[in-house]
Amino acid sequence: MKDYKGAISDFSSAIVTNSQSAVAYNFRGLAKSYLGEHKSAIVDFSKAIAIESSDFAIYNSIGIAEHCLKQYIGAIGDYDKAIEINSQFAITYNRRGVAKHYLGDYKGAIADYNKALQVNPDYTEAKENKAVTESKIGRQWRFW
């Protein structure tokens, strides 16, 4: 059961008890994002970062919310920070690549997909995204 509204209520209660809980702000933000409340989620993620600025997962979370709002430049900045903290999380490279793709930076996107695949060679989504982006820059496909 996905009770995101209940989770928001529970995390809000936790925040009342401990206003310095980066975990509670982050998870409340995630629940809000799942409900499509990305702007409100970004507020929570920003509070979490203000409390705990060394957690790469929070930067990933805010990047995703910004991405959903088509704020690709902001998302890339947050993915950059997440990668600075933890360079071994393939998903972040893939997400940053997608944001770059949407901005028309196809070569930058492919470089990120390649990095994601270097970290995790079996990462299917990065392989698929790379193929889509390569098709945008005119790669010649040969099927023989």
Side-chain angles (χ1 to χ4, degrees), residues 17-52:
T17 303
N18 179 4
S19 65
Q20 295 302 301
S21 174
V23 171
Y25 280 112
N26 185 42
F27 282 112
R28 186 173 75 174
L30 287 171
K32 289 177 179 180
S33 279
Y34 284 122
L35 292 174
E37 299 172 9
H38 303 297
K39 288 181 183 179
S40 181
I42 289 171
V43 171
D44 280 348
F45 297 139
S46 296
K47 288 178 182 176
I49 288 169
I51 296 165
E52 178 55 62

Side-chain angles (χ1 to χ4, degrees), residues 19-107:
S19 65
Q20 295 302 301
S21 174
V23 171
Y25 280 112
N26 185 42
F27 282 112
R28 186 173 75 174
L30 287 171
K32 289 177 179 180
S33 279
Y34 284 122
L35 292 174
E37 299 172 9
H38 303 297
K39 288 181 183 179
S40 181
I42 289 171
V43 171
D44 280 348
F45 297 139
S46 296
K47 288 178 182 176
I49 288 169
I51 296 165
E52 178 55 62
S53 63
S54 64
D55 185 342
F56 82 96
I58 301 170
Y59 288 99
N60 270 322
S61 297
I62 197 169
I64 293 166
E66 289 170 329
H67 194 120
C68 290
L69 293 171
K70 299 182 180 182
Q71 298 173 354
Y72 303 121
I73 293 170
I76 289 168
D78 287 309
Y79 296 144
D80 288 345
K81 185 65 177 170
I83 289 166
E84 180 183 314
I85 296 167
N86 181 355
S87 63
Q88 296 303 305
F89 194 62
I91 293 170
T92 308
Y93 290 106
N94 183 62
R95 289 180 180 150
R96 188 174 70 177
V98 172
K100 287 179 180 179
H101 175 100
Y102 283 123
L103 290 173
D105 178 6
Y106 301 132
K107 290 183 181 184

